Amino acid sequence: MGDMERRQELAEFLRTRRERLTPQEVGLPPGFRRRTTGLRREEVAQLANIGTSWYISLEQAREVRPSEQVLESLAQALRLTSVERQHLFLLALQHAPANLPSPQEEVSPALEQVIRALDPNPAYIEGRRWDLLLWNRAAQYVFDFTEFPSPYSRNMFWRYFSRLSSSKRANWEKVAQVIVAEFRADSARYPGDPGFRELIEELQRTSSEFRELWGRHDVEQIEDRHKQFEHPRLGHLEFDHVTLQAPTSPDLKVKIYTGTPATVTKLAQFLKAIEFD
């Protein structure tokens, strides 16, 4: 998007947000002979505590550069949602606000149904800090999602460092390096998030392996992979692993493990057997 096009988009966005509000909704008297739909420009400027002519310049797509503080005031004055607030910052500054509040991590009924229906292929959903939110039966048994005493027992990142060691897996360090690099890249998207900070501090306190890898400052993007491993009950398992995002909840990661024919057959038989135990 070119600079002029972006300013025009910003102008139209502000105008439409202004026109959907009534004076009563924002605590202003209704007044008489209102010819403007919604709020007047001067009323928005008053609510945001900025100059009227300056705000008019924004709605006229002129080349003005609002600060983050001004945009924050406009977001409050126009009663923007968190998604609208982010859109405002992207149009005006070409980056999201640093302190954008994270939305609630909720799995929709439709997405839950999809995850359940993927059995016997393991599938689960993680939140932004890699907390387990939902999983199907195959994932429960393949990855052993048994709870154990810890406030982080449902966090996939913490579980990796607390339950595995280099003596148990020959490629432990290589896998751990990739996982830490992916987690660091994810954490950078939420600066100031106390949940990320507390989890990182806990792992630095309890895991020397994590401290060493975290100190490398590597970052990587999460990629599709082919995985195979020996399961204590199911034997050799082999999967193609993909990570997807839910369009309505981009913070959620949908993890799907599509098994080879032999793996799918083995899992299907296992799930059927335990169903009738």
Side-chain angles (χ1 to χ4, degrees), residues 8-276:
Q8 191 62 49
E9 283 284 328
L10 174 61
E12 291 297 318
F13 181 67
L14 290 171
R15 179 184 60 79
T16 56
R17 300 310 92 176
R18 169 174 60 83
E19 291 179 350
R20 74 179 181 182
L21 292 172
T22 65
Q24 295 92 325
E25 286 179 298
V26 296
L28 294 175
F32 298 98
R33 299 179 182 177
R34 293 187 70 91
R35 292 178 296 176
T36 302
T37 302
L39 297 179
R40 298 187 179 100
R41 288 170 171 173
E42 58 266 28
E43 289 172 332
V44 174
Q46 175 189 340
L47 290 168
N49 196 28
I50 61 178
T52 300
S53 60
W54 198 88
Y55 176 75
I56 291 174
S57 295
L58 281 175
E59 279 206 17
Q60 291 178 341
R62 295 181 185 174
E63 193 171 356
V64 293
R65 299 189 180 279
S67 66
E68 289 196 13
Q69 184 177 358
V70 166
L71 292 174
E72 203 61 76
S73 297
L74 281 172
Q76 293 179 24
L78 293 169
R79 305 295 196 268
L80 300 187
T81 66
S82 61
V83 175
E84 290 171 333
R85 176 170 170 260
Q86 181 175 24
H87 187 64
L88 173 68
F89 272 72
L90 289 171
L91 289 175
L93 302 178
Q94 300 184 67
H95 67 76
N99 62 337
L100 183 69
S102 299
Q104 290 293 318
E105 297 181 328
E106 296 181 353
V107 179
S108 69
L111 185 53
E112 178 177 356
Q113 185 175 357
V114 169
I115 296 299
R116 306 289 190 200
L118 285 171
D119 274 328
N121 292 292
Y124 59 90
I125 298 177
E126 290 177 356
R128 56 185 170 271
R129 291 186 294 268
W130 297 25
D131 293 316
L132 279 169
L133 304 179
L134 180 77
W135 56 93
N136 62 10
R137 293 172 69 233
Q140 168 73 42
Y141 291 103
V142 169
F143 302 114
D144 185 19
F145 288 158
T146 306
E147 287 198 45
F148 51 95
S150 168
Y152 301 108
S153 67
R154 286 294 180 214
N155 184 271
M156 291 297 286
F157 191 63
W158 186 87
R159 289 170 71 93
Y160 188 83
F161 281 93
S162 64
R163 303 191 71 186
L164 297 178
S165 69
S166 55
S167 62
K168 293 183 180 178
R169 288 179 60 172
N171 63 340
W172 187 92
E173 185 174 359
K174 182 179 179 181
V175 174
Q177 184 176 352
V178 172
I179 289 175
V180 170
E182 291 174 346
F183 188 78
R184 181 181 280 279
D186 272 1
S187 67
R189 296 175 55 211
Y190 305 95
D193 186 305
F196 273 104
R197 184 182 66 252
E198 291 166 7
L199 176 57
I200 292 166
E201 288 175 353
E202 172 67 13
L203 281 169
Q204 286 178 323
R205 185 181 66 82
T206 59
S207 172
S208 59
E209 293 93 344
F210 172 78
R211 286 196 301 272
E212 193 276 326
L213 292 171
W214 190 252
R216 298 182 188 181
H217 290 267
D218 294 335
V219 290
E220 287 191 24
Q221 178 179 318
I222 294 176
E223 298 179 349
D224 301 342
R225 294 189 178 91
H226 186 79
K227 295 193 174 185
Q228 52 184 319
F229 54 92
E230 298 299 321
H231 190 274
R233 295 181 65 184
L234 301 171
H236 184 76
L237 300 177
E238 196 167 345
F239 304 94
D240 285 318
H241 170 221
V242 297
T243 300
L244 308 176
Q245 283 183 309
T248 56
S249 303
D251 281 348
L252 304 187
K253 299 179 187 66
V254 181
K255 305 275 191 174
I256 301 174
Y257 290 76
T258 305
T260 61
T263 294
V264 170
T265 299
K266 190 180 297 186
L267 284 169
Q269 292 173 345
F270 175 77
L271 293 177
K272 185 176 181 179
I274 63 173
E275 183 178 351
F276 295 102

